[in-house]
Amino acid sequence: MSTLLSDLGADLPLIAAPMAGGPSTPELVTAAARAGGLGFLAGGYKTAQALAGQVHTTRAEGVSFGVNLFVPNPLPASREAYARYAREVQGEADRYGLTLPEEPIEDDDHRTDKIDLLTSSPVPWVSFTFGIPDRAVVSALRRAGSTVLQCVTSADEARRAADAGVDALIVQAPAAGRHSATLTPERPPVQVSLPDLIAGVRSAVALPLIATGGITTATDVAGALGAGAQAAMVGTVLLRTHESGASAPHKAALADPAFDTTVVTRAFIGRPARALRNHFTDRYDALAPAGYPALHHLTSPLRKAATAAADTRLIHLWAGTGHRQAKAESIADTFAHLADQL
Ligand SMILES: Cc1cc2nc3c(=O)[nH]c(=O)nc-3n(C[C@H](O)[C@H](O)[C@H](O)COP(=O)(O)O)c2cc1C
């Protein structure tokens, strides 16, 4: 067992990935810790106040946990491309009586407030995705007592994260559900297997590594550890668990034979993210320009309305390639299956 996890009292090298937008509840993170692993709260898309509430609730359970934040790595949409795409998508929104934002909304996801929250009220682990924070931010969090982790998708990104002074890396393979952590979201993620990616990063940097992306079975966990990772981080396989806050239509679609493949698309948020293939990805993937967070804000009201109406043609059904392994069971049961070959 690695010191990275055992220092926080974990018995299993298993980590519940941060999953913004609902799935990562304090209940899920607490259950992951009680099942012998660790979990991350998802700070993305929340105000600092909302995140503070979740931190407070989880801390009160007396478990160790991490918090994940987005680092802005803006991919501005051109006004014309945005307007063209907004007109297309508005056709779907009309059926819900919604008016989508006509102008691109660019924001930094309340970044400074959330960093201030985590330096003044530190949590054991803080992880970053989308961009690499400045050295000064990394140092401030480390001084406050947090272990700082960076999500990377290549050996080159790993070197850059190491230069910023982080303590450990989360190495994400392209099989992962939802957000690709790539630092170059204007390009599709490079296809590489998780073990090959771990080996490549291992030869580039000496930091402890956590593997993620497409890990859904005990064999996958053993493979990731065998390739040199100290722990396996899982997202998709937890989406249908009792403790997951994923929406009911999302949970149902993950097990529905009608949704049999995943695609990497920027149709929903303007940067690459993996979801179950549905009407929205089929119709809009080729039309969607790069543009984050503008496309996230554009489609957000439509996705919310579609979720409330259980309209799976339009919902962002985030999923990794291993979605068929996601079971409606407790996290403790899922972790027990995943730990079967350890
Ligand atoms: C629904 C969902 C939401 C996610 N949200 C985040 C997030 O907020 N921050 C982040 O760093 N990664 C996010 N991810 C990616 C996970 O951290 C992780 O890399 C991925 O789930 C691993 O691949 P897997 O889904 O095949 O297990 C999300 C993944 C899913 C499925």
Side-chain angles (χ1 to χ4, degrees):
M1 185 66 186
S2 73
T3 50
L4 191 62
L5 275 87
S6 58
D7 281 357
L8 294 188
D11 301 321
L12 293 175
L14 296 175
I15 303 172
M19 293 188 281
S24 290
T25 56
E27 195 188 357
L28 183 149
V29 171
T30 303
R34 298 227 165 104
L38 274 178
F40 275 84
L41 292 173
Y45 305 135
K46 286 192 180 71
T47 60
Q49 200 183 8
L51 177 60
Q54 289 209 336
V55 166
H56 178 77
T57 305
T58 314
R59 198 177 270 145
E61 295 291 338
V63 296
S64 289
F65 62 99
V67 169
N68 170 253
L69 296 183
F70 299 161
V71 175
N73 178 3
L75 186 58
S78 91
R79 276 196 125 66
E80 282 152 29
Y82 177 90
R84 214 174 309 124
Y85 190 56
R87 273 197 302 277
E88 293 284 349
V89 178
Q90 183 60 46
E92 305 282 357
D94 286 343
R95 270 187 266 151
Y96 284 97
L98 297 169
T99 306
L100 302 179
E102 279 172 25
E103 296 290 322
I105 299 171
E106 312 282 358
D107 68 358
D108 75 349
D109 196 41
H110 313 284
R111 165 191 155 76
T112 312
D113 292 348
K114 287 189 269 198
I115 297 289
D116 287 350
L117 167 74
L118 295 177
T119 46
S120 61
S121 176
V123 296
W125 282 10
V126 178
S127 75
F128 292 102
T129 190
F130 292 176
I132 300 175
D134 301 339
R135 273 194 91 86
V137 169
V138 175
S139 307
L141 289 164
R142 295 185 78 226
R143 265 199 314 276
S146 298
T147 296
V148 179
L149 303 97
Q150 176 70 38
C151 195
V152 297
T153 63
S154 68
D156 179 50
E157 291 179 1
R159 280 187 210 98
R160 289 171 59 185
D163 287 347
V166 304
D167 296 287
L169 300 177
I170 299 163
V171 181
Q172 187 199 50
R178 195 170 190 174
H179 300 128
S180 165
T182 177
L183 296 178
T184 49
E186 60 281 14
R187 295 202 291 272
V190 176
Q191 288 311 303
V192 57
S193 75
L194 183 58
D196 286 352
L197 181 60
I198 297 277
V201 170
R202 178 74 300 146
S203 60
V205 297
L207 294 173
L209 307 182
I210 292 168
T212 197
I215 299 175
T216 54
T217 65
T219 308
D220 296 336
V221 172
L225 301 191
Q230 296 198 359
M233 176 183 267
V234 293
T236 297
V237 78
L238 303 180
L239 280 172
R240 296 184 65 226
T241 57
H242 305 323
E243 296 89 348
S244 155
S247 70
H250 188 184
K251 286 186 174 183
L254 288 161
D256 182 342
F259 296 100
D260 55 0
T261 40
T262 63
V263 288
V264 174
T265 181
R266 60 188 185 198
F268 292 113
I269 61 168
R271 53 172 291 147
R274 189 179 288 278
L276 296 177
R277 185 179 160 193
N278 66 357
H279 162 75
F280 197 88
T281 65
D282 281 352
R283 171 90 179 78
Y284 297 101
D285 182 54
L287 303 175
Y292 183 86
L295 266 63
H296 160 76
H297 291 299
L298 170 71
T299 64
S300 174
L302 177 61
R303 292 182 279 132
K304 282 194 183 116
T307 302
D311 181 354
T312 47
R313 296 165 60 257
L314 301 178
I315 302 175
H316 50 264
L317 300 168
W318 306 124
T321 55
H323 64 96
R324 277 290 182 267
Q325 302 296 332
K327 303 279 182 318
E329 61 187 11
S330 67
I331 290 215
D333 285 344
T334 304
F335 272 14
H337 305 316
L338 291 174
D340 213 31
Q341 293 180 22
L342 298 178

